[in-house]
Amino acid sequence: VPQGIPGLDTALGLSRMMGKKPLYIAMLRRYLSGQQDVAADIRRAIENGDRALAERLAHTTKAVSGNVGATVVQDRAALVETALRERADAQALQPLVEGLDEALSPLLARLSSHFALPGA
């Protein structure tokens, strides 16, 4: 289980997996692969006028981030989801999506480094 990764509460994530380390590690690996492009996908959906897709992506990111203990990402995704639901304009959405990306990108980079280690 990765330790000391900013923005990742592994104790919380493990508790959500009932303490099952192999399950938690599998969830982190899925999170890493599934969230790589989410900020870009949300931006693209907004640009294409598909706010429903953008909202669904933000909701999914919020949920899976909560499951693994990525609480900062969870909070930022919630802000994006709420703004989309409340019909915020693109100008108001841009800094929220940037904030999500600023929290998510370094977390994914750290997880990627961790899981690239031999035996990880």
Side-chain angles (χ1 to χ4, degrees):
V1 173
Q3 297 297 319
I5 294 180
L8 184 64
D9 184 340
T10 54
L12 177 62
L14 264 172
S15 74
R16 294 208 168 129
M17 303 298 143
M18 297 173 286
K20 298 177 181 176
K21 288 181 183 180
L23 176 60
Y24 184 54
I25 290 168
M27 289 294 290
L28 285 172
R29 287 179 186 272
R30 259 184 268 148
Y31 181 79
L32 177 59
S33 65
Q35 298 302 304
Q36 286 290 333
D37 300 319
V38 76
D41 292 344
I42 290 171
R43 280 189 200 96
R44 193 169 20 262
I46 293 167
E47 289 167 6
N48 292 334
D50 194 344
R51 295 174 72 89
L53 174 59
E55 185 177 338
R56 192 167 55 250
L57 290 167
H59 176 79
T60 300
T61 297
K62 177 184 76 173
V64 298
S65 296
N67 285 341
V68 299
T71 55
V72 174
V73 175
Q74 178 185 20
D75 292 344
R76 301 235 178 131
L79 292 173
V80 174
E81 179 187 20
T82 299
L84 284 160
R85 188 178 318 111
E86 293 176 353
R87 299 285 178 218
D89 63 19
Q91 188 175 0
L93 286 166
Q94 182 181 354
L96 297 176
V97 176
E98 285 301 317
L100 171 60
D101 198 19
E102 288 169 4
L104 184 59
S105 291
L107 174 61
L108 294 177
R110 288 298 230 12
L111 285 173
S112 182
S113 293
H114 172 80
F115 288 120
L117 297 173

